[in-house]
């Protein structure tokens, strides 16, 4: 080559200098290698002693190795490893383990596993009563007095975890005869891995449950340097559940195939991390009593997108998609853990074929709509944001564009049949109390026109003030329910409308599961959007089937049971009382004292809703007695409780005078009443001005 020709030839003296320098460098390298080889044994001894002391002092673990040695320049082999927690059963035994680190990353301070070989490994998790040989994993570390880090960086934290995990994944691995077992006082299960191989990043393995109760096959590829991972898990047998989950958590999980692919990790400084990838599954089955009475089966679903992690927030990117059969949507979720916990969720579907949504619902999940057929396109928009430290600032907007929706064929819940007489099955929990004909054939059936108008007003105000305006759901009621439940940190207030209660009572079972609630929402939406049943008919059915006391169903039975009247003859006081017991009908008789009059605490309900109806102009055509008829309510004599010992008849008269003073004080407090109305129904500046 020409460039070689241009290099000047070395003279004798220069050759001698070059030979001496080269020889010296080679000698230094050999000396360094010799010293390193001589010293590395002592370094390994020191590291092993340190590991043994750390495991003993920090975790109370006994760690014994019969022999360890270097078996190559960068490979260490351990023989007969035994790990025994203090005063516990043996946790792990390994016949042999060889591990090597990669030299090039080590020069830059990164410890990355190169090769890993495991032979005849046994890991045994044992629990007797409340004592286990793995409880050291859950012991809380002693808190060190360190400055509080208020500037937690989630991007940096998750990035560090990713690096630690991927750095420990070897480029090449061979596992021979690995077994993980769990046993307690009532069960023993083993997971066996006869052989597993990672060859240049490609891996495959088969897991066996016990002797051969089930088999799951793993295959995929891992690139520790680029932090990429693709794994597919398939089950050899159908409907085989993952072990222990049902026994420990009541959760059954089985699948034909699951795929997960992390294909991109992008970093932009320490404050920004993006994880991109995809997932998919075939025939995923979930079983849990809080989800659904029957197993939930998704034949297929897939998703792709990215997770954005910032310094103080985590976000599912708006471009992410979820696809179930032909139904596709893009959820946008953002979570800010600190300083104020904020959760935001939005879904904007755009127009899509309505039938695609119903086809995506797993068969059998919502039995009431199985077989439904619809046409035309719909669109849904949801915007939700809540600050858990300031719930009053809740943002909630839910809108469905379903003007063109048409139901061609109804499912098992044939909503239009509500327009004809039908048989209602009255249940108490899961016990069928009796069957009630909802129609003129039943002598106790009451048409809406035969119900006192004042009862209709009181019932609507207490149960669903905007029944004739909304389409099955009251957005403000949902907001108030969410805010109240967050403040109380438990379920304290619901948001059911009369439409929702009607669907629940007539079409659905009494199982209180998440899926049944979703089924209720879908049915109400279909009933209201299709206009298959008029509002008047819904209210009429509702009045004839709801429970008003122990084995008291329908307004005819209620009016006669409590007051010996027909529904058309009820007055304002009796109507306010009957409306007050709808949420808790079996406690109705507890509102009365031995004289048959209402107890003082019931008066708050009368004052609140009587005032609301008056402000809304609903009492203009009614004869309104003092205290909205509170003192005119008189229970049937045969239902009254016995007179308490030592109580004389003048007691009620004195109590009446006391209640009159309470009423006057309450009526003077305009601000309190207005606040109550605003909380219940929201303020209307135009009406207030009028």
């Amino acid at each position: 080559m020409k460039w070689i020709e241009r290099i000047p030839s070395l003279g004798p003296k220069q050759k001698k200098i070059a030979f001496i320098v080269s020889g010296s460098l080679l000698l230094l390298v050999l000396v360094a290698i010799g010293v390193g080889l001589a010293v590395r044994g002592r370094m390994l001894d020191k590291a092993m002693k340190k590991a043994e002391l750390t495991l003993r002092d920090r975790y109370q673990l006994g760690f014994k190795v019969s022999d360890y040695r270097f078996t190559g320049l960068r490979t260490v082999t351990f023989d007969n490893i035994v790990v025994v927690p203090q005063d516990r059963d043996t946790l792990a035994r390994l016949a042999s383990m060889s591990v090597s680190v990669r030299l090039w990353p080590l020069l830059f301070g990164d410890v990355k596993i190169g090769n890993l070989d495991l032979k005849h490994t046994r890991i045994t998790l044992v629990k007797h009563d409340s004592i286990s040989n793995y409880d050291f994993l859950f012991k809380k570390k002693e808190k060190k007095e360190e400055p509080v880090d208020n500037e937690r960086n989630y991007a940096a934290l998750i990035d560090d975890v990713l690096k630690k995990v991927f750095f420990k994944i070897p480029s090449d691995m061979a596992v021979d005869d690995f077994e993980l077992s769990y046993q307690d006082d009532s069960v023993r299960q083993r997971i066996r891995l006869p052989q597993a191989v990672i060859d240049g990043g490609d891996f495959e393995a088969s897991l066996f449950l016990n002797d051969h109760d089930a088999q799951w096959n793993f295959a995929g590829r891992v690139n520790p340097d680029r932090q990429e991972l693709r794994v597919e898990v398939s089950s050899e047998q159908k409907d085989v559940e993952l072990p222990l989950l049902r026994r420990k958590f009541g959760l059954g999980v089985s699948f034909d195939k699951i795929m997960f692919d992390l294909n991109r990790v992008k970093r932009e400084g320490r404050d920004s991390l993006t994880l991109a990838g995809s997932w998919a599954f075939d025939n995923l089955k979930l079983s849990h009593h809080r989800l659904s009475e029957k197993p939930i089966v998704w034949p297929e679903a897939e998703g792709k997108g990215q997770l954005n992690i910032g310094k103080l927030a985590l976000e599912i990117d708006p471009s992410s998609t979820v696809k179930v059969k032909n139904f596709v949507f893009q959820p946008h979720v953002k979570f800010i853990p600190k300083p104020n916990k904020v959760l935001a969720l939005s879904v904007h579907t755009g127009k899509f074929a309505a039938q695609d949504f119903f086809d995506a619902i797993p068969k059998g999940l919502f039995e009431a709509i199985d077989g439904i057929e619809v046409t035309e396109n719909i669109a849904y928009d949801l915007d939700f944001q809540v600050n858990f430290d300031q719930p009053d600032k809740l943002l909630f907007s839910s809108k469905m564009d379903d003007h063109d929706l048409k139901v061609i064929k109804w499912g098992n819940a044939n909503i239009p049949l509500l327009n004809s007489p039908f048989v209602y099955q009255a249940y108490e929990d899961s016990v069928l109390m009796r069957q009630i004909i909802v129609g003129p054939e039943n002598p106790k059936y009451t048409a809406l026109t035969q119900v006192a108008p004042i009862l209709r007003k009181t019932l609507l105000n207490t149960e669903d003030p905007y029944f004739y305006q909304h389409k099955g759901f009251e957005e403000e009621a949902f907001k108030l329910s969410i805010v109240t439940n967050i403040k109380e940190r438990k379920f304290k207030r619901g948001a059911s409308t009369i439409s929702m209660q009607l669907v629940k009572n007539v079409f659905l079972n009494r199982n209180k599961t998440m899926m049944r609630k979703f089924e209720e929402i879908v049915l109400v939406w279909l009933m209201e959007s299709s206009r298959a049943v008029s509002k008047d008919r819904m209210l009429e059915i509702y009045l004839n089937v709801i429970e008003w006391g122990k084995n008291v169903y329908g307004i005819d039975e209620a009016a006669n049971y409590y007051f010996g009247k027909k529904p058309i003859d009820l007055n304002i006081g009796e109507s306010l009382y009957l409306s007050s017991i709808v949420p808790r009908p079996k406690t109705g008789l507890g509102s009365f004292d031995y004289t048959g009059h209402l107890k003082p605490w019931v008066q708050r309900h009368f004052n609140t809703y009587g005032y609301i109806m008056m402000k809304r102009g609903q009492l203009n055509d009614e004869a309104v007695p003092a205290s909205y008829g509170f003192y005119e309510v008189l229970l049937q004599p045969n239902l009254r409780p016995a007179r308490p010992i030592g109580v004389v008849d003048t007691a009620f008269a004195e109590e009446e005078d006391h209640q009159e003073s309470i009423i006057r004080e309450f009526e003077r407090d305009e601000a309190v009443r207005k606040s109550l109305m605003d909380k219940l129904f929201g303020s209307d500046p135009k009406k207030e001005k009028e």
Side-chain angles (χ1 to χ4, degrees):
M1 296 183 181
K2 293 183 178 180
W3 66 272
I4 293 179
E5 295 175 358
R6 291 197 295 267
I7 297 177
S9 59
L10 298 177
K13 186 175 181 180
Q14 292 172 321
K15 289 180 180 180
K16 185 176 181 181
I17 294 173
F19 177 77
I20 293 173
V21 171
S22 301
S24 300
L25 289 174
L26 179 61
L27 181 61
L28 286 174
V29 170
L30 292 174
V31 170
I33 293 174
V35 172
L37 292 173
V39 172
R40 70 174 183 171
R42 293 197 297 271
M43 293 176 64
L44 181 59
D45 289 336
K46 187 176 180 180
M48 290 296 295
K49 289 179 181 178
K50 183 178 180 181
E52 186 176 343
L53 290 173
T54 300
L55 291 173
R56 185 192 67 189
D57 296 340
R58 185 175 298 178
Y59 303 107
Q60 290 75 54
L61 287 176
F63 177 68
K64 300 296 182 183
V65 181
S66 66
D67 184 39
Y68 54 87
R69 61 199 178 278
F70 279 95
T71 52
L73 182 63
R74 54 191 179 92
T75 303
V76 179
T77 299
F78 304 86
D79 293 331
N80 298 320
I81 302 172
V82 180
V83 179
V84 184
Q86 185 177 348
D87 301 324
R88 301 285 193 274
D89 294 290
T90 300
L91 178 63
R93 290 182 181 274
L94 289 81
S96 175
M97 180 176 76
S98 296
V99 58
S100 67
V101 296
R102 296 162 59 188
L103 292 178
W104 183 252
L106 192 62
L107 297 176
F108 297 92
D110 294 331
V111 180
K112 295 185 178 182
I113 303 297
N115 297 311
L116 177 65
D117 291 332
L118 296 176
K119 293 183 179 179
H120 308 302
T121 303
R122 298 291 182 271
I123 298 177
T124 306
L125 307 178
V126 181
K127 184 176 182 179
H128 295 300
D129 296 327
S130 59
I131 299 175
S132 68
N133 66 344
Y134 53 87
D135 50 16
F136 67 91
L137 295 171
F138 307 103
K139 287 184 178 179
K140 293 183 179 181
K141 297 181 180 180
E142 295 183 2
K143 292 184 178 180
K144 298 180 180 180
E145 294 185 2
E146 297 179 353
V148 179
D149 183 12
N150 293 322
E151 295 296 323
R152 174 171 290 187
N153 190 325
Y154 290 99
L157 179 66
I158 295 175
D159 187 30
D160 290 342
V161 171
L162 279 173
K163 288 178 179 177
K164 288 178 181 178
V165 170
F166 276 98
F167 284 1
K168 300 303 183 289
I169 298 176
S171 302
D172 298 284
M173 182 183 75
V175 176
D176 182 24
D177 188 21
F178 179 95
E179 183 178 295
L180 170 65
S181 64
Y182 172 85
Q183 66 180 70
D184 57 23
D185 297 326
S186 60
V187 69
R188 174 181 172 84
Q189 288 194 322
R190 296 177 298 130
I191 295 177
R192 298 183 298 109
L193 183 64
Q195 200 171 44
V197 175
I198 299 179
D199 184 8
D202 296 319
F203 64 86
E204 60 180 22
S206 293
L207 280 178
F208 297 89
L209 178 63
N210 300 322
D211 292 329
H212 210 125
D213 294 347
Q215 177 181 342
W216 293 278
N217 301 317
F218 289 72
R221 179 171 178 79
V222 60
N223 187 326
D225 292 330
R226 300 183 63 178
Q227 296 176 21
E228 297 174 352
L229 173 65
R230 178 185 174 86
V231 58
E232 290 187 8
V233 185
S234 59
S235 176
E236 283 287 316
Q237 300 90 358
K238 291 186 71 67
D239 300 328
V240 175
E241 294 184 354
L242 297 180
L244 297 178
L245 292 180
R246 182 176 290 279
R247 185 176 179 276
K248 289 296 181 182
F249 309 106
L251 176 65
V253 180
S254 67
F255 54 84
D256 286 354
K257 182 171 28 175
I258 286 182
M259 182 278 292
F260 172 78
D261 185 9
L262 175 64
N263 54 41
R264 183 166 63 92
V265 178
K266 182 180 179 181
R267 299 173 178 84
E268 295 181 1
R270 284 183 58 81
D271 295 345
S272 178
L273 177 68
T274 298
L275 309 179
S278 60
W279 56 266
F281 58 73
D282 294 335
N283 288 326
L284 175 66
K285 180 185 290 187
L286 299 178
S287 301
H288 195 280
H289 70 280
R290 293 192 181 276
L291 291 175
S292 176
E293 185 183 18
K294 296 182 179 180
I296 304 171
V297 183
W298 277 278
E300 61 181 84
E302 62 183 61
K304 62 180 179 179
Q306 64 183 44
L307 177 65
N308 302 322
I309 306 166
K311 184 176 181 180
L312 297 174
L314 298 91
E315 176 191 51
I316 296 178
D317 195 83
S319 63
S320 304
T321 61
V322 177
K323 181 180 180 182
V324 184
K325 291 189 176 179
N326 293 324
F327 177 56
V328 181
F329 65 99
Q330 294 178 289
H332 179 207
V333 183
K334 190 172 184 178
F335 179 57
I336 304 175
K338 292 183 178 181
N340 292 329
K341 186 185 293 185
V342 177
L343 174 65
L345 167 66
S346 66
V347 176
H348 301 283
T349 64
K351 287 284 188 177
F352 65 93
Q355 188 63 46
D356 288 345
F357 168 75
F358 291 101
D359 290 343
I361 297 174
K363 187 173 180 59
L365 177 61
F366 297 159
E367 292 185 355
I369 59 175
D370 275 355
I372 193 169
E373 295 179 9
V374 299
T375 61
E376 305 304 331
N377 295 332
I378 59 176
Y380 180 65
D381 294 285
L382 170 68
D383 289 292
F384 172 86
Q385 181 172 306
V386 60
N387 184 325
F388 289 90
D389 296 308
Q390 299 175 330
D392 288 319
K393 296 183 178 180
L394 172 75
L395 169 65
F396 179 82
S397 175
S398 176
K399 297 179 181 179
M400 177 73 77
D401 181 357
D402 54 9
H403 298 292
D404 300 326
L405 178 66
K406 292 181 178 63
V407 179
I408 304 302
K409 176 187 174 184
W410 290 91
N412 293 331
N414 195 339
I415 299 291
L417 289 181
L418 293 179
N419 294 311
S420 305
F422 65 94
V423 177
Y424 170 69
Q425 295 182 319
Y427 279 89
E428 184 173 330
D429 294 327
S430 58
V431 179
L432 177 63
M433 300 299 291
R434 55 193 168 107
Q435 294 183 325
I436 301 170
I437 298 176
V438 183
E441 297 90 340
N442 182 355
K444 295 181 180 180
Y445 175 76
T446 306
L448 191 61
T449 55
Q450 295 302 306
V451 178
I454 189 61
L455 176 67
R456 284 181 266 163
K457 294 174 184 177
T458 59
L459 184 71
L460 288 173
N461 274 286
T462 55
E463 289 299 296
D464 194 350
Y466 298 106
F467 172 68
Y468 281 96
Q469 285 78 44
H470 65 59
K471 294 184 177 181
F473 310 100
E474 178 47 51
E475 192 170 287
E476 290 303 316
F478 270 96
K479 290 181 181 179
L480 185 58
S481 173
I482 295 170
V483 170
T484 301
N485 295 333
I486 290 175
K487 288 181 177 179
E488 297 291 334
R489 297 190 177 184
K490 61 181 179 180
F491 184 80
K492 189 78 171 179
R493 184 187 184 96
S496 290
T497 61
I498 286 177
S499 307
M500 297 170 74
Q501 294 179 54
L502 178 63
V503 161
K504 177 181 68 175
N505 287 327
V506 175
F507 292 110
L508 303 178
N509 59 45
R510 299 301 183 266
N511 297 311
K512 296 181 179 180
T513 64
M514 290 176 59
M515 293 302 109
R516 200 221 66 182
K517 194 65 179 177
F518 290 143
E519 187 175 18
E520 177 186 317
I521 290 172
V522 172
L523 271 180
V524 170
W525 164 52
L526 288 170
M527 180 175 67
E528 292 273 3
S529 62
S530 67
R531 302 175 186 86
V533 184
S534 70
K535 289 284 190 176
D536 281 347
R537 176 59 177 167
M538 291 183 205
L539 183 58
E540 184 175 85
I541 296 172
Y542 181 76
L543 285 166
N544 278 275
V545 301
I546 62 171
E547 188 179 12
W548 299 83
K550 188 174 182 180
N551 202 25
V552 178
Y553 293 92
I555 187 57
D556 183 87
E557 290 186 14
N560 182 63
Y561 177 74
Y562 290 102
F563 309 119
K565 290 186 174 184
K566 299 298 290 183
I568 194 66
D569 299 322
L570 293 170
N571 61 37
I572 184 172
E574 293 160 344
S575 298
L576 280 167
Y577 162 74
L578 288 174
S579 301
S580 74
I581 66 173
V582 170
R584 293 172 294 277
K586 290 184 177 61
T587 64
L589 291 176
S591 301
F592 295 93
D593 64 17
Y594 74 96
T595 69
H597 291 84
L598 291 168
K599 293 178 180 178
W601 56 266
V602 184
Q603 190 166 21
R604 181 172 183 177
H605 177 87
F606 277 63
N607 288 334
T608 300
Y609 288 98
Y611 175 77
I612 289 171
M613 289 191 294
M614 183 180 69
K615 288 289 288 184
R616 300 180 74 181
Q618 296 175 343
L619 301 182
N620 293 341
D621 299 328
E622 302 285 346
V624 183
S627 303
Y628 304 104
F630 176 80
Y631 295 108
E632 296 182 4
V633 179
L634 193 63
L635 182 66
Q636 293 265 58
N638 62 306
L639 298 177
R640 299 173 190 175
R643 177 189 297 181
I645 298 175
V647 175
V648 296
D649 290 338
T650 58
F652 184 79
E654 294 173 356
E655 182 62 35
E656 184 179 32
D657 292 338
H658 177 62
Q659 288 303 317
E660 287 291 349
S661 65
I662 293 177
I663 294 169
R664 288 192 295 271
E665 182 180 349
F666 189 89
E667 289 177 343
R668 286 196 300 266
D669 194 350
E670 179 77 11
V672 171
R673 295 197 302 271
K674 184 178 184 303
S675 175
L676 281 170
M677 194 174 84
D678 288 346
K679 287 182 179 179
L680 287 167
F681 309 112
S683 61
D684 189 335
K686 294 182 179 179
K687 290 185 178 180
E688 290 294 329
K689 189 174 182 181
E690 292 175 2

